mmCIF file of all heavy atoms in Angstrom:
data_model
loop_
_atom_site.group_PDB
_atom_site.id
_atom_site.type_symbol
_atom_site.label_atom_id
_atom_site.label_comp_id
_atom_site.label_asym_id
_atom_site.label_seq_id
_atom_site.Cartn_x
_atom_site.Cartn_y
_atom_site.Cartn_z
ATOM 1 N N PRO A 544 -42.418 -66.878 62.901
ATOM 2 C CA PRO A 544 -42.982 -67.923 63.820
ATOM 3 C C PRO A 544 -44.066 -68.729 63.081
ATOM 4 O O PRO A 544 -44.090 -69.896 63.136
ATOM 5 C CB PRO A 544 -43.526 -67.139 64.981
ATOM 6 C CG PRO A 544 -42.803 -65.894 65.007
ATOM 7 C CD PRO A 544 -42.513 -65.527 63.594
ATOM 8 N N PRO A 558 -42.140 -80.101 67.823
ATOM 9 C CA PRO A 558 -41.566 -78.845 68.106
ATOM 10 C C PRO A 558 -40.512 -78.868 69.184
ATOM 11 O O PRO A 558 -39.503 -78.141 69.067
ATOM 12 C CB PRO A 558 -42.733 -77.959 68.612
ATOM 13 C CG PRO A 558 -43.947 -78.651 67.982
ATOM 14 C CD PRO A 558 -43.642 -80.127 68.032
ATOM 15 N N GLU A 559 -40.695 -79.674 70.254
ATOM 16 C CA GLU A 559 -39.678 -79.634 71.364
ATOM 17 C C GLU A 559 -38.309 -80.193 70.880
ATOM 18 O O GLU A 559 -37.334 -80.017 71.537
ATOM 19 C CB GLU A 559 -40.192 -80.348 72.543
ATOM 20 C CG GLU A 559 -40.438 -81.844 72.429
ATOM 21 C CD GLU A 559 -41.736 -82.175 71.691
ATOM 22 O OE1 GLU A 559 -42.458 -81.286 71.223
ATOM 23 O OE2 GLU A 559 -41.989 -83.362 71.543
ATOM 24 N N LEU A 563 -33.565 -73.792 67.560
ATOM 25 C CA LEU A 563 -33.287 -72.648 66.657
ATOM 26 C C LEU A 563 -32.033 -71.967 67.068
ATOM 27 O O LEU A 563 -31.908 -71.496 68.203
ATOM 28 C CB LEU A 563 -34.519 -71.763 66.678
ATOM 29 C CG LEU A 563 -34.521 -70.560 65.734
ATOM 30 C CD1 LEU A 563 -35.981 -70.373 65.231
ATOM 31 C CD2 LEU A 563 -34.099 -69.348 66.439
ATOM 32 N N ILE A 565 -29.496 -68.820 66.968
ATOM 33 C CA ILE A 565 -29.258 -67.443 66.546
ATOM 34 C C ILE A 565 -27.911 -67.002 67.110
ATOM 35 O O ILE A 565 -27.501 -67.533 68.167
ATOM 36 C CB ILE A 565 -30.383 -66.448 66.973
ATOM 37 C CG1 ILE A 565 -30.594 -66.581 68.505
ATOM 38 C CG2 ILE A 565 -31.675 -66.786 66.289
ATOM 39 C CD1 ILE A 565 -31.357 -65.453 69.112
ATOM 40 N N LEU A 578 -37.046 -60.437 70.653
ATOM 41 C CA LEU A 578 -37.630 -60.984 71.865
ATOM 42 C C LEU A 578 -39.028 -61.502 71.688
ATOM 43 O O LEU A 578 -39.374 -62.622 72.065
ATOM 44 C CB LEU A 578 -37.571 -59.949 73.016
ATOM 45 C CG LEU A 578 -37.770 -60.469 74.360
ATOM 46 C CD1 LEU A 578 -36.664 -61.460 74.739
ATOM 47 C CD2 LEU A 578 -37.695 -59.294 75.423
ATOM 48 N N SER A 579 -39.850 -60.673 71.016
ATOM 49 C CA SER A 579 -41.201 -61.086 70.810
ATOM 50 C C SER A 579 -41.314 -62.246 69.872
ATOM 51 O O SER A 579 -42.161 -63.147 70.096
ATOM 52 C CB SER A 579 -42.086 -59.911 70.353
ATOM 53 O OG SER A 579 -42.219 -59.917 68.963
ATOM 54 N N ILE A 580 -40.448 -62.371 68.891
ATOM 55 C CA ILE A 580 -40.488 -63.523 67.994
ATOM 56 C C ILE A 580 -40.036 -64.799 68.784
ATOM 57 O O ILE A 580 -40.653 -65.818 68.649
ATOM 58 C CB ILE A 580 -39.572 -63.270 66.784
ATOM 59 C CG1 ILE A 580 -40.213 -62.221 65.851
ATOM 60 C CG2 ILE A 580 -39.384 -64.575 65.958
ATOM 61 C CD1 ILE A 580 -39.363 -61.898 64.629
ATOM 62 N N LEU A 581 -39.038 -64.585 69.572
ATOM 63 C CA LEU A 581 -38.542 -65.735 70.352
ATOM 64 C C LEU A 581 -39.615 -66.244 71.316
ATOM 65 O O LEU A 581 -39.733 -67.427 71.500
ATOM 66 C CB LEU A 581 -37.272 -65.372 71.087
ATOM 67 C CG LEU A 581 -36.001 -65.154 70.239
ATOM 68 C CD1 LEU A 581 -34.804 -64.862 71.056
ATOM 69 C CD2 LEU A 581 -35.717 -66.399 69.337
ATOM 70 N N GLU A 582 -40.311 -65.305 71.892
ATOM 71 C CA GLU A 582 -41.347 -65.682 72.867
ATOM 72 C C GLU A 582 -42.433 -66.519 72.164
ATOM 73 O O GLU A 582 -42.861 -67.580 72.658
ATOM 74 C CB GLU A 582 -42.017 -64.465 73.482
ATOM 75 C CG GLU A 582 -41.429 -64.202 74.852
ATOM 76 C CD GLU A 582 -41.620 -62.788 75.296
ATOM 77 O OE1 GLU A 582 -42.523 -62.087 74.710
ATOM 78 O OE2 GLU A 582 -40.836 -62.281 76.147
ATOM 79 N N LYS A 583 -42.806 -66.128 70.968
ATOM 80 C CA LYS A 583 -43.775 -66.890 70.206
ATOM 81 C C LYS A 583 -43.300 -68.309 69.920
ATOM 82 O O LYS A 583 -44.014 -69.273 70.076
ATOM 83 C CB LYS A 583 -44.132 -66.175 68.905
ATOM 84 C CG LYS A 583 -45.184 -65.086 69.052
ATOM 85 C CD LYS A 583 -45.589 -64.516 67.716
ATOM 86 C CE LYS A 583 -46.177 -63.112 67.909
ATOM 87 N NZ LYS A 583 -45.641 -62.142 66.983
ATOM 88 N N LEU A 584 -42.008 -68.342 69.539
ATOM 89 C CA LEU A 584 -41.444 -69.641 69.134
ATOM 90 C C LEU A 584 -41.405 -70.508 70.394
ATOM 91 O O LEU A 584 -41.701 -71.729 70.282
ATOM 92 C CB LEU A 584 -40.086 -69.440 68.541
ATOM 93 C CG LEU A 584 -40.091 -68.790 67.164
ATOM 94 C CD1 LEU A 584 -38.636 -68.384 66.773
ATOM 95 C CD2 LEU A 584 -40.653 -69.731 66.054
ATOM 96 N N ARG A 585 -40.990 -69.915 71.497
ATOM 97 C CA ARG A 585 -40.847 -70.761 72.713
ATOM 98 C C ARG A 585 -42.149 -71.289 73.106
ATOM 99 O O ARG A 585 -42.287 -72.388 73.670
ATOM 100 C CB ARG A 585 -40.156 -69.932 73.802
ATOM 101 C CG ARG A 585 -39.712 -70.896 74.895
ATOM 102 C CD ARG A 585 -38.881 -70.299 75.957
ATOM 103 N NE ARG A 585 -37.535 -69.843 75.511
ATOM 104 C CZ ARG A 585 -37.156 -68.598 75.401
ATOM 105 N NH1 ARG A 585 -37.969 -67.622 75.782
ATOM 106 N NH2 ARG A 585 -35.980 -68.299 75.052
ATOM 107 N N SER A 586 -43.244 -70.512 72.883
ATOM 108 C CA SER A 586 -44.577 -70.954 73.296
ATOM 109 C C SER A 586 -44.991 -72.205 72.473
ATOM 110 O O SER A 586 -45.900 -72.942 72.837
ATOM 111 C CB SER A 586 -45.615 -69.810 73.157
ATOM 112 O OG SER A 586 -45.807 -69.579 71.793
ATOM 113 N N LEU A 587 -44.278 -72.374 71.341
ATOM 114 C CA LEU A 587 -44.603 -73.589 70.515
ATOM 115 C C LEU A 587 -43.848 -74.801 71.074
ATOM 116 O O LEU A 587 -44.118 -75.943 70.672
ATOM 117 C CB LEU A 587 -44.216 -73.380 69.119
ATOM 118 C CG LEU A 587 -44.847 -72.269 68.311
ATOM 119 C CD1 LEU A 587 -44.215 -72.161 66.901
ATOM 120 C CD2 LEU A 587 -46.376 -72.505 68.131
ATOM 121 N N GLY A 588 -42.928 -74.530 71.927
ATOM 122 C CA GLY A 588 -42.113 -75.624 72.561
ATOM 123 C C GLY A 588 -40.704 -75.659 71.914
ATOM 124 O O GLY A 588 -39.873 -76.495 72.330
ATOM 125 N N ILE A 589 -40.463 -74.856 71.025
ATOM 126 C CA ILE A 589 -39.114 -74.747 70.381
ATOM 127 C C ILE A 589 -38.024 -74.277 71.332
ATOM 128 O O ILE A 589 -38.273 -73.433 72.165
ATOM 129 C CB ILE A 589 -39.187 -73.815 69.131
ATOM 130 C CG1 ILE A 589 -40.086 -74.424 68.066
ATOM 131 C CG2 ILE A 589 -37.816 -73.466 68.576
ATOM 132 C CD1 ILE A 589 -40.375 -73.446 66.898
ATOM 133 N N LYS A 590 -36.805 -74.819 71.137
ATOM 134 C CA LYS A 590 -35.691 -74.414 72.058
ATOM 135 C C LYS A 590 -34.818 -73.367 71.338
ATOM 136 O O LYS A 590 -34.667 -73.481 70.062
ATOM 137 C CB LYS A 590 -34.851 -75.656 72.348
ATOM 138 C CG LYS A 590 -35.603 -76.781 73.046
ATOM 139 C CD LYS A 590 -35.257 -76.831 74.507
ATOM 140 C CE LYS A 590 -35.934 -77.921 75.308
ATOM 141 N NZ LYS A 590 -37.340 -78.088 75.001
ATOM 142 N N ILE A 591 -34.239 -72.455 72.138
ATOM 143 C CA ILE A 591 -33.397 -71.434 71.542
ATOM 144 C C ILE A 591 -31.952 -71.668 71.926
ATOM 145 O O ILE A 591 -31.633 -71.811 73.164
ATOM 146 C CB ILE A 591 -33.843 -70.043 72.060
ATOM 147 C CG1 ILE A 591 -35.344 -69.821 71.870
ATOM 148 C CG2 ILE A 591 -33.009 -68.929 71.366
ATOM 149 C CD1 ILE A 591 -35.877 -69.865 70.488
ATOM 150 N N VAL A 592 -31.074 -71.576 70.903
ATOM 151 C CA VAL A 592 -29.667 -71.810 71.139
ATOM 152 C C VAL A 592 -28.905 -70.515 70.743
ATOM 153 O O VAL A 592 -29.154 -70.007 69.700
ATOM 154 C CB VAL A 592 -29.136 -73.035 70.274
ATOM 155 C CG1 VAL A 592 -27.647 -73.203 70.435
ATOM 156 C CG2 VAL A 592 -29.933 -74.289 70.562
ATOM 157 N N TYR A 605 -28.756 -59.968 77.715
ATOM 158 C CA TYR A 605 -29.432 -60.730 76.698
ATOM 159 C C TYR A 605 -29.620 -62.193 77.080
ATOM 160 O O TYR A 605 -30.641 -62.797 76.751
ATOM 161 C CB TYR A 605 -28.659 -60.637 75.398
ATOM 162 C CG TYR A 605 -28.757 -59.237 74.803
ATOM 163 C CD1 TYR A 605 -27.632 -58.386 74.900
ATOM 164 C CD2 TYR A 605 -29.959 -58.766 74.318
ATOM 165 C CE1 TYR A 605 -27.768 -57.086 74.417
ATOM 166 C CE2 TYR A 605 -30.069 -57.460 73.793
ATOM 167 C CZ TYR A 605 -28.933 -56.653 73.822
ATOM 168 O OH TYR A 605 -29.055 -55.363 73.394
ATOM 169 N N LEU A 606 -28.571 -62.680 77.693
ATOM 170 C CA LEU A 606 -28.613 -64.041 78.067
ATOM 171 C C LEU A 606 -29.811 -64.344 78.977
ATOM 172 O O LEU A 606 -30.538 -65.312 78.846
ATOM 173 C CB LEU A 606 -27.338 -64.399 78.830
ATOM 174 C CG LEU A 606 -26.763 -65.763 78.697
ATOM 175 C CD1 LEU A 606 -26.601 -66.114 77.190
ATOM 176 C CD2 LEU A 606 -25.409 -65.878 79.421
ATOM 177 N N VAL A 607 -30.013 -63.463 79.936
ATOM 178 C CA VAL A 607 -31.072 -63.606 80.883
ATOM 179 C C VAL A 607 -32.431 -63.318 80.253
ATOM 180 O O VAL A 607 -33.438 -64.057 80.374
ATOM 181 C CB VAL A 607 -30.890 -62.757 82.124
ATOM 182 C CG1 VAL A 607 -32.046 -62.789 83.113
ATOM 183 C CG2 VAL A 607 -29.585 -63.139 82.772
ATOM 184 N N GLU A 608 -32.432 -62.215 79.481
ATOM 185 C CA GLU A 608 -33.724 -61.796 78.929
ATOM 186 C C GLU A 608 -34.285 -62.744 77.904
ATOM 187 O O GLU A 608 -35.412 -63.004 77.772
ATOM 188 C CB GLU A 608 -33.529 -60.396 78.265
ATOM 189 C CG GLU A 608 -34.595 -59.421 78.617
ATOM 190 C CD GLU A 608 -34.189 -58.018 78.172
ATOM 191 O OE1 GLU A 608 -34.197 -57.764 76.962
ATOM 192 O OE2 GLU A 608 -33.798 -57.249 79.090
ATOM 193 N N PHE A 609 -33.393 -63.340 77.100
ATOM 194 C CA PHE A 609 -33.843 -64.224 76.042
ATOM 195 C C PHE A 609 -34.100 -65.649 76.541
ATOM 196 O O PHE A 609 -34.560 -66.441 75.842
ATOM 197 C CB PHE A 609 -32.816 -64.274 74.887
ATOM 198 C CG PHE A 609 -32.766 -62.988 74.104
ATOM 199 C CD1 PHE A 609 -31.527 -62.530 73.535
ATOM 200 C CD2 PHE A 609 -33.897 -62.208 73.896
ATOM 201 C CE1 PHE A 609 -31.554 -61.362 72.817
ATOM 202 C CE2 PHE A 609 -33.877 -61.031 73.136
ATOM 203 C CZ PHE A 609 -32.691 -60.622 72.641
ATOM 204 N N GLU A 610 -33.696 -65.917 77.795
ATOM 205 C CA GLU A 610 -33.886 -67.218 78.324
ATOM 206 C C GLU A 610 -33.501 -68.316 77.379
ATOM 207 O O GLU A 610 -34.262 -69.222 77.037
ATOM 208 C CB GLU A 610 -35.398 -67.453 78.713
ATOM 209 C CG GLU A 610 -35.851 -66.581 79.834
ATOM 210 C CD GLU A 610 -37.342 -66.839 80.128
ATOM 211 O OE1 GLU A 610 -37.661 -67.927 80.446
ATOM 212 O OE2 GLU A 610 -38.135 -65.900 79.998
ATOM 213 N N VAL A 611 -32.223 -68.310 76.951
ATOM 214 C CA VAL A 611 -31.788 -69.345 75.985
ATOM 215 C C VAL A 611 -31.678 -70.675 76.695
ATOM 216 O O VAL A 611 -31.452 -70.707 77.868
ATOM 217 C CB VAL A 611 -30.456 -68.959 75.341
ATOM 218 C CG1 VAL A 611 -30.610 -67.688 74.491
ATOM 219 C CG2 VAL A 611 -29.379 -68.716 76.358
ATOM 220 N N ASP A 612 -31.917 -71.704 75.836
ATOM 221 C CA ASP A 612 -31.869 -73.019 76.368
ATOM 222 C C ASP A 612 -30.452 -73.620 76.296
ATOM 223 O O ASP A 612 -30.186 -74.558 76.992
ATOM 224 C CB ASP A 612 -32.813 -73.946 75.556
ATOM 225 C CG ASP A 612 -34.250 -73.393 75.670
ATOM 226 O OD1 ASP A 612 -34.852 -73.576 76.742
ATOM 227 O OD2 ASP A 612 -34.752 -72.784 74.719
ATOM 228 N N LYS A 613 -29.676 -73.068 75.376
ATOM 229 C CA LYS A 613 -28.360 -73.647 75.176
ATOM 230 C C LYS A 613 -27.407 -72.579 74.693
ATOM 231 O O LYS A 613 -27.770 -71.697 73.955
ATOM 232 C CB LYS A 613 -28.397 -74.810 74.163
ATOM 233 C CG LYS A 613 -27.163 -75.679 74.180
ATOM 234 C CD LYS A 613 -27.205 -76.677 73.043
ATOM 235 C CE LYS A 613 -28.284 -77.755 73.283
ATOM 236 N NZ LYS A 613 -28.346 -78.762 72.220
#
Side-chain angles (χ1 to χ4, degrees):
E559 66 282 1
L563 186 141
I565 55 165
L578 195 60
S579 95
I580 291 180
L581 289 181
E582 261 159 21
K583 276 187 201 134
L584 291 168
R585 195 173 291 114
S586 70
L587 300 174
I589 292 172
K590 302 251 178 323
I591 309 299
V592 179
Y605 291 106
L606 214 53
V607 175
E608 227 167 74
F609 291 145
E610 293 180 58
V611 294
D612 299 286
K613 195 186 290 180

